[in-house]
Amino acid sequence: MGKRLPFIAGNWKMNLTAAEVKTLLSALAPEVEKISTVEVAVFPPAPYLLTAVAAVGNSPIQVGAQNMCWEEAGAFTGEISSAMLLDIGCNQVLVGHSERRHIFQENDEIINRKLRHGLEASLTVVLCLGETLEEREREQTNQVVMTQLRAGLKQVGVEDLSRILIAYEPVWAIGTGKTATPAQAQDVHESIRGWLAEDYGRETAESIRILYGGSVKPQNAAELLSQPDIDGALVGGASLKADSFLAIIRSGA
Ligand code: PGA
């Protein structure tokens, strides 16, 4: 079984200015170029996607969108399409981030439509999942994560799985400074891989990268990434500064 290439992604959420995007990427690009053992992606706010694509230039940093519509074009005021993303050189999209689920009321059906549309458009799709604190306290973590996983991947065939990454992000750990312990995260990651194996076979499940997200920092990244089923990180706050994001990238190398 081939070892999975670690994937470290920066989710910039609704932060930064155009000038800051340029500065951050020009600091990251030459350093990431020296590291061949980690895949790196950034997810800037939509107005800066083009700026980011230009700023990464030929460096191996990939650029993706934080959100996208499930339709190709038309009367969808305020939305951006997969065709637009491809047109400007983005090859990735986040789907089902907990802020989309909880603040913008995206349900599993919408998330599945976006995911399938992204796959059809040949984008790489990062499907985000995770339980709330209340759900964890009620011992519903596995049930919630399994439901989100299976609903998110509804009607997705095994042939498309190579363009999917899963990001497990416990909602109580996002932006709170509270990280899941490496053992807590590993536990859920192992279950996710088990459900993927039930649905798509062991070999496919072993090839899929499952990222952890939720208060990942330089101080905790190495230990999280050393867990057997944690194949990378989706980093929010700590990806907004070149030094902390680079330190996390290097922990995965
Ligand atoms: P955080 O965000 O690292 O700031 O907790 C992670 C995310 O929401 O993707």
Side-chain angles (χ1 to χ4, degrees), residues 87-215:
D87 189 30
I88 63 162
C90 291
N91 65 346
Q92 322 235 338
V93 67
L94 296 183
V95 159
H97 189 276
S98 76
E99 287 144 24
R100 301 295 321 166
R101 292 177 189 264
H102 297 289
I103 306 173
F104 301 101
Q105 274 85 46
E106 287 188 15
N107 59 26
D108 282 325
E109 193 203 326
I110 287 176
I111 291 160
N112 175 249
R113 284 173 78 179
K114 291 184 173 190
L115 178 137
R116 284 189 288 132
H117 179 70
L119 291 175
E120 265 165 43
S122 70
L123 291 165
T124 292
V125 182
V126 182
L127 171 63
C128 308
L129 330 152
E131 81 288 1
T132 63
L133 182 60
E134 203 181 37
E135 289 161 345
R136 175 160 285 264
E137 283 170 349
R138 287 202 207 123
E139 297 184 2
Q140 293 170 337
T141 299
N142 278 3
Q143 185 56 43
V144 167
V145 173
M146 184 178 75
T147 303
Q148 290 177 349
L149 179 76
R150 292 206 158 125
L153 294 179
K154 204 168 158 195
Q155 292 176 44
V156 173
V158 68
E159 66 286 355
D160 281 329
L161 264 273
S162 63
R163 277 189 294 109
I164 299 240
L165 290 100
I166 307 294
Y168 168 60
E169 301 199 294
V171 179
W172 48 273
I174 296 179
T176 57
K178 274 192 221 162
T179 323
T181 64
Q184 277 174 324
Q186 165 58 25
D187 213 40
V188 180
H189 281 231
E190 193 181 347
S191 301
I192 292 173
R193 205 176 302 287
W195 298 316
L196 290 168
E198 281 171 20
D199 296 346
Y200 296 101
R202 185 42 72 178
E203 203 183 326
T204 301
E206 290 296 336
S207 69
I208 294 178
R209 288 171 292 180
I210 307 174
L211 319 180
Y212 169 77
S215 298

